[in-house]
């Protein structure tokens, strides 16, 4: 054999031979692409009989389009991308995921001038701002700029990105309207009735766009918030862990057709990624410095090791010198992070409805049925059981598959405005928001 693995490691496995061994996966230059890099660098893909090429993509739209048209076998995706495509917001295609790549990992950064004004409205303790910082501190800054006849602009990475929904959640919790979408009327700007105008900016372009003054702030993953601190051009004001914690951030996505045509390959890819996720969180993040060095290479994220390590190793720098412990800033395995929970999918769908990307009221059952079309824990379970059978992992590493129903407890995820979320009752969840669409609302 020339696969670099023993003859028994594939032949004796409960999972059949891969239908396709040569694979090309896409990613965006963000630290949370790390499971792909680690699965490659540590030989986990090869141990599954897979020869993988990893290729950086220009932006999220190009990445999604290349998965859909078959140029890529799969990719590191925003958790909302498979859902948005499947419900037909933007590109229409049935895309699925059987693996959550990480939880958390984003922050909101504002320009130095905006922060200078915000600080006047943020309480201090021992000479430092008290965190988490609410968007109520931003509201007078926005109102002042609007009174001068200028728009207040912020960047996010994609219309169905976590970053868009987190930024909107934070703004709305502070009384700032982030705008509605009206795709049924041909308006996909997301700026209807907006106090703050949100627009798409590719992650690596966030710092230079902020520095140029084109936007006043942004929500993005790492290393692009810490880059603003290192360059002295902006200040991160809140992490998404403080906005809403432990809901899927990125996922590994493939088309449903690809998954049906390559079931064994798919399971083997998930097996390798599960092992990578565990390695990243093992021994209280002991492997993170090595991971940061790996992904700092130009063929992965291509940012300075010090910038990447700032968040990857469990700390986060806000203002220059204000370094705080953030052990769960990036979560790759603990809290059953890799399991594709239906409740995570439903949360994204509620935000699509809240802001008009889903223009019509939907029943609670619709949310669950749609989640099950896209998130595939049954595939994840096959991968996990195979790893357990091989002795590479233990049952304690995973949810109890005999009882797991795919919904995190409402107590697990906390939100900055104190609103609770039960994935089984999405419409009751939506009713709690003073800003946003709910049953009976239409644009």
């Amino acid at each position: 054999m020339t696969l670099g693995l023993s003859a028994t490691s594939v032949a004796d496995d409960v999972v059949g031979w891969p239908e396709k061994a040569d694979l090309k996966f896409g990613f965006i230059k963000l630290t949370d692409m790390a499971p792909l890099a680690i699965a490659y660098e540590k030989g986990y893909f090869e141990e599954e009989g897979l020869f993988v090429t990893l290729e950086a993509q220009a932006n999220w739209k190009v990445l999604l389009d290349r998965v859909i048209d078959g140029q890529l076998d799969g990719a590191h995706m925003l958790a909302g991308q498979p859902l948005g495509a499947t419900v037909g917001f933007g590109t229409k295609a049935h895309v699925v995921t059987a693996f959550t790549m990480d939880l958390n990992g984003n922050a909101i950064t504002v320009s130095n001038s905006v922060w200078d004004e915000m600080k006047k409205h943020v309480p201090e303790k021992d000479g430092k701002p008290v965190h988490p910082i609410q968007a109520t501190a931003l509201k007078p800054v926005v109102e002042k700029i609007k009174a001068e006849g200028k728009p207040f602009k912020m960047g996010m990475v994609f219309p169905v990105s976590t970053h868009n929904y987190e930024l909107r959640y934070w703004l709305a919790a502070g009384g700032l309207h982030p705008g509605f979408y009206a795709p049924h009327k041909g308006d996909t700007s997301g700026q209807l009735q907006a106090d703050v105008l949100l627009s798409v900016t590719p992650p690596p372009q966030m710092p230079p766009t902020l520095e140029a003054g084109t936007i006043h702030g942004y929500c993005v993953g790492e290393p692009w918030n810490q880059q603003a601190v290192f360059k002295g051009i902006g200040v991160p004001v809140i992490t998404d862990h403080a906005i809403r914690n432990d809901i899927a951030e990125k996922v590994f996505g493939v088309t449903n057709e690809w998954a049906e045509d390559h079931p064994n390959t798919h399971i083997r890819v998930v097996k390798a990624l599960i092992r990578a996720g565990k390695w990243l969180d093992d021994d209280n993040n002991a492997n993170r410095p090595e991971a940061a060095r790996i992904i700092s290479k130009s063929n992965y994220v291509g940012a300075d090791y010090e910038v990447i390590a700032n968040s990857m190793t469990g700390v986060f720098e806000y203002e220059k010198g204000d370094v705080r412990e953030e052990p769960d800033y990036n979560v790759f395995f603990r809290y059953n992070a890799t399991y594709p929970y239906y409740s995570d999918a439903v949360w994204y769908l509620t935000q699509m409805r809240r802001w008009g990307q889903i223009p019509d009221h939907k029943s609670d059952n619709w949310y669950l049925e749609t989640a099950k079309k896209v998130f595939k824990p049954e595939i994840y379970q096959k991968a996990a059981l195979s790893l357990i059978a091989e002795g590479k992992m233990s049952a304690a590493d995973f949810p109890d598959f005999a009882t797991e129903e795919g919904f995190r407890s409402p107590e697990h995820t906390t939100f900055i405005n104190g609103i609770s979320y039960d994935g089984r009752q999405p419409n009751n969840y939506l009713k709690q928001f003073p800003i946003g669409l709910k049953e009976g609302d239409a644009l």
Side-chain angles (χ1 to χ4, degrees), residues 26-42 44-45 54 76 99-102 222 250-251 272-281 287-288 290-296 300-301 308 312 330-332:
F27 68 92
I28 297 293
K29 289 182 173 251
L30 293 161
T31 58
D32 55 21
M33 65 74 60
L36 283 168
I38 298 305
Y40 179 88
E41 297 286 343
K42 295 297 176 181
Y44 300 151
F45 284 133
L54 301 177
H76 163 233
F99 180 82
T100 297
M101 292 188 67
D102 68 314
E222 288 312 311
K250 302 295 190 308
V251 297
L273 291 174
I274 288 173
R275 293 179 68 192
K278 185 175 186 302
W279 183 90
L280 282 159
D281 277 11
N287 295 323
R288 295 293 186 85
E290 181 183 350
R293 292 193 187 282
I294 289 170
I295 65 174
S296 68
Y300 293 132
V301 180
I308 292 174
M312 278 283 282
N330 286 113
V331 175
F332 293 100

Side-chain angles (χ1 to χ4, degrees), residues 419-438:
I419 287 177
S420 62
Y421 167 65
D422 183 347
R424 293 179 174 85
Q425 301 182 57
N427 283 300
N428 281 341
Y429 174 64
L430 286 168
K431 287 176 185 176
Q432 299 178 74
F433 297 109
I435 298 177
L437 300 178
K438 51 190 73 66

Side-chain angles (χ1 to χ4, degrees), residues 16-21 50 258-266 268:
W17 283 92
E19 298 84 3
K20 183 178 183 182
L50 307 174
W258 189 95
E260 290 179 343
D261 289 346
H262 308 93
N264 296 340
T265 305
H266 196 190
R268 290 185 174 281

Side-chain angles (χ1 to χ4, degrees), residues 3 77 83 88 103 120 126 153 287 294 302 338 365 374 438:
L3 296 180
M77 289 186 181
L83 292 157
L103 309 176
K120 300 172 184 176
D126 300 326
K153 300 178 180 180
N287 295 323
I294 289 170
T338 54
N365 194 51
V374 178
K438 51 190 73 66

